Amino acid sequence: MTHQPDPPPAERPERQRLQMADIARIAGVSVATVSRALNGSAEVSAATRQRISELARSLNYTINVGAKNLRLRHNKTVSVVIPYDRRSRQHVSDPFFLAMLGSLADALTDRGFDMLVSRVDADRLELAAQAWDTGTAMGVVLIGQWHRHEQINQMAERGVPLVVWGAQIPVQRYCSVGGDNATGGALATQHLLEQGCQRIVFMGDPDLPEVAQRLRGHRQALAEAERETEPTLELHTPFDANQARADLSRLIESGTGFDAVFACSDVLAMAVVQVLRAHGKEVPRDVAVVGYDDIEWASHAYPPLTTVRQPVSVAGIEIVDALLAIVAGEVVPPRTLPVELVVRRSSLR
Amino acid sequence: MTHQPDPPPAERPERQRLQMADIARIAGVSVATVSRALNGSAEVSAATRQRISELARSLNYTINVGAKNLRLRHNKTVSVVIPYDRRSRQHVSDPFFLAMLGSLADALTDRGFDMLVSRVDADRLELAAQAWDTGTAMGVVLIGQWHRHEQINQMAERGVPLVVWGAQIPVQRYCSVGGDNATGGALATQHLLEQGCQRIVFMGDPDLPEVAQRLRGHRQALAEAERETEPTLELHTPFDANQARADLSRLIESGTGFDAVFACSDVLAMAVVQVLRAHGKEVPRDVAVVGYDDIEWASHAYPPLTTVRQPVSVAGIEIVDALLAIVAGEVVPPRTLPVELVVRRSSLR
DNA sequence: CTGAAAGCGCTAACAA
DNA sequence: TTGTTAGCGCTTTCAG
């Protein structure tokens, strides 16, 4: 994706790289034969194939992928886009997103694809398609849909092969893969209720589809236990630890009582624990805390964090497979992956 | 980087994408003119340039980057490689590496470059050059040199434009950018000595050049304070939290006394705090702890972690600029960036 | 089994 | 100012 006028072409004494023609000349065959040999075509004699492969290897020659792609009119790279919030730029530092990135990298590498990574302003999500528009990538993976559902729909309608990590939403014309957020929310709240918690704070920004679904699960669990939902206890905090600290401090200082917090990410939950501690409240004795994601250090936090585990490594595979299917022309329905409550000390009373 | 025999070309009813010829036909000019217009050449009349740009935009046409690159014989993508240890695969989950990735992404995006991300087995580091060999990327950034100094030298000698985040090493034929590890190590240890610590455990694998330099700084600080270095207190723990827990537990159980730990990453430090706590030791009262990196949550840990801050965001810029200079044919000397001790509660007695 | 030749989508001399 | 033309490095009919 070229975002600027090209700089001067950096013309240095052009390093002379070998090309197929060189190999052909040295081997005393035509480039066609070299091409066939190097691509393992059956219609070249085993002997020459062997000979040419060895020659190429010994000369450290590799096929130029750009030229190959141009000729073949396809390519093997996938663009992975991490939207960021212009104000905070925060969430790319969220370990969860980065874990997803790692998972995608593995899945793509295993299948022989390259991964192009870029960050785009969430307010300009159309740019996510750029790598596809320019023919740089065969498809794009969007990590998180934010509040840009409509823009994503438009991209998909424009024909961009697209898979989004996020929630499944009613009028959705693209393929999403995501955790079962409603269940996740319900599991967390049920668990807190079972621990005898009476007043549970929900922390998360329901503007984001995934969070909205978790909130729905949360409320449902309350309803099933015949508890009222209290708007005061619903903190619409975005995925931003600083905001989490501010919001929770305000709540505490307002004198509102509560004995549990269900935060929509582990990062938020850690911030919550920190604030509680600063206010002299002990976790889990005074306030039980549950997070979301189960990132690496949730288990190493103090206290170890109860959380809803998202299936990150299978997610990478699911996303990549879905994208490949879409590129192959299939219609792939959205997919919801199971989540699981991991109980640790932070919520045990 | 194609790592496998190509799968069947996914031949679906080829989505008909516009090309320059289409725009030319519609606009009633030649492709040359379109090319010039779209590239902002001054030798096309402002009027046609305007007209063609608008036509292209309205038709949602974008120049095919692959074809352009082939013709121009260069490209604007940089390959960023994160080596991984085959056994643990751990360190890609290290927030520090991921922060570096983010920093590089920003620096590259700002300059209009694409970022190709891949993970390679540290034991097969030659593969890091693949994206360059195949012409996919104009250069490569290696995050961490591990114990593969020689292989990296060979890549550089082979002509691969290369910048490595890591230590500066005597016989080095490639460009490295890294923090001032010796100073970092010294700062940490001096600080612990000032806090009155008597027996400081050093945790880190000196097989890695960066760690070796931190160890040197550590020893130097001890020497300046006229303390002996005690081999028993030097734990050769790799960047792996589990290993850290195991190693420190063993040390404690061996009955060796100590009142401080200097760990070579924040992740290790957090593991250390956890183990100490499990053994009934309080941080910092019984044992002071200092980490390295100053990743996001070091300040939110419990207790907040004293650590040596690495200049991640400037590092991304330095690395990218160095790589671009190298691609432009310059000889770029290795660069060492200043580090800084950030004192927090974990080390205050 | 191998080679000659056309062309993937674009840019840049060179001509007009 | 604009068009014509020759490739960039490769794959693949189509002939031999």
Side-chain angles (χ1 to χ4, degrees):
Chain A
M1 286 173 280
T2 307
H3 303 126
Q4 294 185 336
D6 289 13
E11 219 66 75
R12 90 205 115 114
E14 187 59 40
R15 176 190 317 288
Q16 211 42 66
R17 292 162 83 153
L18 289 185
Q19 351 186 136
M20 211 170 254
D22 299 313
I23 305 294
R25 195 167 19 72
I26 298 171
V29 296
S30 71
V31 289
T33 302
V34 175
S35 172
R36 286 191 271 250
L38 261 27
N39 286 300
S41 158
E43 53 178 316
V44 73
S45 83
T48 32
R49 196 186 328 154
Q50 175 77 2
R51 188 163 59 86
I52 292 177
S53 313
E54 272 167 15
L55 182 62
R57 189 168 15 262
S58 75
L59 261 39
N60 229 303
Y61 167 78
T62 330
I63 289 183
N64 179 311
V65 174
K68 176 174 185 159
N69 288 344
L70 179 58
R71 176 61 232 236
L72 260 27
R73 320 182 66 194
H74 75 212
N75 65 254
K76 298 195 67 176
T77 116
V78 168
S79 169
V80 174
V81 176
I82 308 180
Y84 66 79
D85 183 19
R86 200 179 321 175
R87 290 166 299 277
S88 64
R89 274 211 165 184
Q90 284 281 359
H91 35 275
V92 193
S93 66
D94 190 317
F96 176 72
F97 286 89
L98 297 164
M100 279 293 308
L101 212 56
S103 168
L104 286 166
D106 285 342
L108 288 169
T109 303
D110 287 349
R111 288 161 184 68
F113 290 89
D114 282 349
M115 176 170 92
L116 209 57
V117 174
S118 51
R119 308 167 76 173
V120 323
D121 188 328
D123 290 338
R124 308 225 32 215
L125 218 51
E126 336 82 66
L127 294 179
Q130 217 177 117
W132 183 78
D133 289 332
T134 61
T136 307
M138 57 187 291
V140 358
V141 171
L142 207 55
I143 304 191
Q145 55 207 151
W146 304 94
H147 353 241
R148 297 298 160 179
H149 183 54
E150 248 330 299
Q151 279 179 64
I152 303 176
N153 263 340
Q154 281 167 27
M155 284 177 40
E157 273 165 2
R158 207 151 64 67
V160 184
L162 182 66
V163 176
V164 178
W165 167 260
Q168 187 170 340
I169 299 180
V171 192
Q172 176 173 300
R173 294 183 288 280
Y174 54 89
C175 172
S176 64
V177 173
D180 185 342
N181 293 295
T183 302
L187 285 174
T189 299
Q190 279 158 13
H191 168 70
L192 288 170
L193 290 171
E194 281 163 14
Q195 294 298 309
C197 298
Q198 301 295 324
R199 294 172 57 79
I200 304 174
V201 173
F202 176 92
M203 175 180 275
D205 179 5
D207 259 13
L208 308 183
E210 305 184 66
V211 172
Q213 299 186 351
R214 292 175 201 171
L215 177 55
R216 195 151 50 72
H218 164 75
R219 286 179 177 165
Q220 212 150 40
L222 287 180
E224 276 164 16
E226 296 178 350
R227 306 294 177 89
E228 308 254 318
T229 65
E230 291 183 55
T232 345
L233 296 184
E234 291 179 3
L235 260 31
H236 293 188
T237 311
F239 286 130
D240 177 344
N242 291 323
Q243 195 60 51
R245 279 184 277 274
D247 289 357
L248 193 68
S249 298
R250 191 158 332 120
L251 186 72
I252 294 174
E253 283 152 16
S254 76
T256 309
F258 60 90
D259 55 7
V261 178
F262 167 33
C264 276
S265 86
D266 290 342
V267 172
L268 294 186
M270 296 304 294
V272 164
V273 170
Q274 198 184 0
V275 169
L276 290 172
R277 195 175 280 136
H279 284 263
K281 297 185 188 297
E282 199 177 299
V283 176
R285 201 196 54 199
D286 302 323
V287 179
V289 175
V290 174
Y292 211 99
D293 293 341
D294 194 25
I295 58 182
E296 176 81 17
W297 48 266
S299 61
H300 308 148
Y302 179 74
L305 190 64
T306 295
T307 187
V308 178
R309 174 178 299 161
Q310 301 230 58
V312 173
S313 46
V314 40
I317 295 170
E318 292 283 346
I319 290 172
V320 169
D321 286 346
L323 186 64
L324 296 184
I326 288 170
V327 168
E330 294 172 35
V331 175
V332 180
R335 196 143 160 45
T336 298
L337 307 176
V339 297
E340 165 190 11
L341 182 75
V342 181
V343 178
R344 301 205 183 91
R345 270 230 333 278
S346 70
S347 64
L348 295 180
R349 320 197 73 180
Chain B
M1 285 173 281
T2 308
H3 302 124
Q4 295 185 334
D6 288 13
E11 219 64 76
R12 89 205 118 116
E14 187 60 39
R15 175 190 318 287
Q16 210 41 64
R17 292 161 83 153
L18 290 184
Q19 5 189 125
M20 211 170 254
D22 299 314
I23 306 293
R25 195 167 19 73
I26 298 169
V29 295
S30 72
V31 290
T33 302
V34 176
S35 171
R36 286 191 272 249
L38 262 25
N39 286 301
S41 159
E43 53 178 314
V44 73
S45 82
T48 34
R49 196 185 331 154
Q50 176 76 3
R51 188 164 60 85
I52 293 176
S53 310
E54 272 166 14
L55 182 63
R57 191 172 8 266
S58 75
L59 262 39
N60 229 303
Y61 167 78
T62 329
I63 289 183
N64 179 312
V65 175
K68 177 174 183 160
N69 287 344
L70 179 58
R71 175 60 231 233
L72 259 27
R73 317 184 67 192
H74 76 210
N75 64 255
K76 299 196 68 177
T77 115
V78 168
S79 169
V80 174
V81 176
I82 308 181
Y84 66 79
D85 184 18
R86 200 179 321 174
R87 289 166 300 277
S88 64
R89 273 211 166 183
Q90 283 282 359
H91 35 275
V92 194
S93 66
D94 191 318
F96 176 72
F97 286 89
L98 297 164
M100 278 294 308
L101 212 55
S103 168
L104 286 166
D106 285 341
L108 288 169
T109 303
D110 287 348
R111 288 161 184 69
F113 290 89
D114 283 348
M115 177 170 92
L116 211 56
V117 174
S118 51
R119 309 168 77 176
V120 322
D121 188 327
D123 290 338
R124 307 224 31 207
L125 217 51
E126 335 84 64
L127 294 179
Q130 216 175 121
W132 183 78
D133 289 331
T134 61
T136 308
M138 57 186 291
V140 356
V141 172
L142 208 55
I143 305 191
Q145 56 208 151
W146 305 93
H147 353 240
R148 298 295 160 180
H149 183 53
E150 248 330 301
Q151 279 180 64
I152 303 176
N153 263 338
Q154 282 167 27
M155 283 177 43
E157 273 166 1
R158 208 151 62 68
V160 184
L162 182 65
V163 176
V164 178
W165 167 262
Q168 187 170 344
I169 299 179
V171 191
Q172 176 173 300
R173 294 182 286 280
Y174 54 88
C175 172
S176 64
V177 173
D180 186 343
N181 294 295
T183 302
L187 285 174
T189 299
Q190 278 159 12
H191 167 70
L192 287 170
L193 291 171
E194 282 163 13
Q195 293 298 310
C197 298
Q198 300 296 325
R199 295 172 57 78
I200 305 174
V201 172
F202 175 93
M203 175 180 276
D205 179 4
D207 259 13
L208 309 183
E210 306 185 64
V211 172
Q213 298 186 352
R214 293 175 200 170
L215 177 55
R216 196 152 49 71
H218 164 75
R219 286 180 177 164
Q220 212 150 39
L222 288 179
E224 276 165 15
E226 295 178 352
R227 306 291 177 91
E228 308 255 317
T229 65
E230 293 182 53
T232 344
L233 297 183
E234 293 179 2
L235 259 33
H236 292 188
T237 311
F239 285 131
D240 176 343
N242 291 323
Q243 195 60 51
R245 280 185 276 275
D247 288 357
L248 192 69
S249 297
R250 189 157 335 116
L251 186 72
I252 293 173
E253 283 151 17
S254 77
T256 310
F258 60 90
D259 54 7
V261 177
F262 167 34
C264 275
S265 84
D266 289 342
V267 172
L268 294 186
M270 295 305 293
V272 163
V273 169
Q274 198 185 1
V275 169
L276 290 172
R277 194 174 282 136
H279 284 262
K281 296 185 189 297
E282 199 177 298
V283 176
R285 200 195 57 198
D286 303 324
V287 179
V289 174
V290 174
Y292 210 100
D293 293 340
D294 194 25
I295 58 182
E296 177 80 16
W297 49 265
S299 61
H300 309 148
Y302 179 73
L305 190 64
T306 295
T307 186
V308 177
R309 174 178 300 161
Q310 299 230 58
V312 173
S313 48
V314 39
I317 295 170
E318 292 283 346
I319 289 171
V320 169
D321 286 346
L323 186 63
L324 296 184
I326 288 170
V327 168
E330 291 173 38
V331 174
V332 180
R335 195 142 161 46
T336 298
L337 307 176
V339 295
E340 166 190 10
L341 183 74
V342 181
V343 178
R344 301 204 183 92
R345 272 228 333 278
S346 71
S347 64
L348 295 179
R349 319 197 75 180

